[in-house]
Amino acid sequence: MGKGGYVAYFGTNNAYEIELMAIEGDEKARLIQDAMSYQIAKTIGAMATVLHGKVDGIILTGGLPIILWFVSILKRWSRSLPRS
């Protein structure tokens, strides 16, 4: 518990630090960010499916919402949700 995600790869769970690493050209940091955003988008999509596409909003909590790149990726994927 608490040793997955960013901690498993970088020894920290600070999303801001990982974002700075990615901005500075760290390919591993960008790859892990891509993978994590993909997994979260899949989970959002799964929830949208069981709600029959009737999604009023998506609320992001924790440290990741401060990362504008991360939020922009999720917004891009959420555009494919059916609109009710």
Side-chain angles (χ1 to χ4, degrees):
M1 192 82 164
K3 296 189 184 193
Y6 284 155
V7 174
Y9 291 100
F10 302 104
T12 181
N13 65 356
N14 188 321
Y16 183 70
E17 287 179 17
I18 308 305
E19 174 65 2
L20 291 178
M21 291 168 60
I23 289 170
E24 292 170 359
D26 186 318
E27 291 297 320
K28 180 180 176 184
R30 182 59 71 200
L31 176 67
I32 300 304
Q33 280 187 317
D34 286 343
M36 184 175 285
S37 62
Y38 177 71
Q39 284 299 118
I40 291 170
K42 286 191 335 181
T43 300
I44 292 169
M47 294 297 107
T49 299
V50 298
L51 294 170
H52 305 286
K54 294 179 179 157
V55 178
D56 294 327
I58 299 168
I59 299 172
L60 302 173
T61 63
L64 287 174
I66 68 165
I67 307 301
L68 296 179
W69 171 86
F70 182 79
V71 174
S72 72
I73 294 293
L74 291 179
K75 281 182 180 179
R76 184 183 51 158
W77 279 322
S78 73
R79 287 188 195 113
S80 64
L81 290 174
R83 302 291 178 220
S84 39

